[in-house]
Amino acid sequence: MKKQSIVALLLTVGLVAICFASCLGPMLPEKQVNYIDGTYTGTGEGMMGPITVEVVVTSGAITSITLKEHKETEGVYEKAETWVVASILENQTTDVDSVSGATYTSEGIKAAVADALKNAVA
C-alpha cells in the first residue's frame, strides 16, 4: 500500500470515529444533581458589577430564580435574565448558553446561581 493510501485510510477511520462519538453524546445520560431543599443566595460578576440572585430548591430541583440586586444596563439584563433563567430551570444546570449581546450579564447570572447552589449540594 502506498503511503498516501495509508494516510487516507487513517483519516477516514478517524473521521468515522469522530462522527460515531458525536452521535453517542446526546444518548448518554446527563448527571442529575439532587439539591437540598431551601432558599439560597448567590452573587456573580456582571458587566457593571455584582449580580445577586435568590434560588429556591424544592423536592431536589431548582424551582425559582429571582433577581435580588444588579447594576446592569436596563433592557440588557432583562433579556439575559429571561433566557438564562428559563434555560437553567429547564435543564437544572448553570451550563447553558449565554444571550448574544448580553454575554457578561448572562455569565454573571449563571455565576450567581452556581454560587447559590454550591450551598445546596450535600
Side-chain angles (χ1 to χ4, degrees):
M1 239 179 172
K2 288 185 177 180
K3 187 176 182 178
Q4 289 175 333
S5 297
I6 293 171
V7 170
L9 178 62
L10 289 174
L11 287 174
T12 303
V13 168
L15 182 59
V16 169
I18 290 170
C19 289
F20 183 70
S22 67
C23 291
L24 284 180
M27 295 181 347
L28 297 174
E30 290 185 26
K31 180 182 174 190
Q32 188 68 26
V33 176
N34 197 16
Y35 297 109
I36 300 168
D37 289 1
T39 301
Y40 304 93
T41 302
T43 304
E45 193 63 32
M47 180 72 166
M48 307 303 281
I51 296 173
T52 303
V53 298
E54 181 178 85
V55 179
V56 177
V57 174
T58 308
S59 299
I62 306 165
T63 56
S64 171
I65 301 169
T66 307
L67 159 71
K68 296 311 267 176
E69 190 176 336
H70 74 86
K71 294 180 177 137
E72 301 301 288
T73 304
E74 190 174 327
V76 174
Y77 180 85
E78 291 79 8
K79 195 164 58 167
E81 179 186 29
T82 301
W83 171 261
V84 172
V85 168
S87 296
I88 291 172
L89 292 172
E90 179 181 340
N91 297 295
Q92 293 295 297
T93 180
T94 57
D95 187 21
V96 297
D97 291 338
S98 294
V99 174
S100 179
T103 304
Y104 289 108
T105 302
S106 298
E107 293 299 320
I109 294 168
K110 292 189 289 185
V113 173
D115 183 50
L117 290 174
K118 72 181 180 189
N119 297 316
V121 178

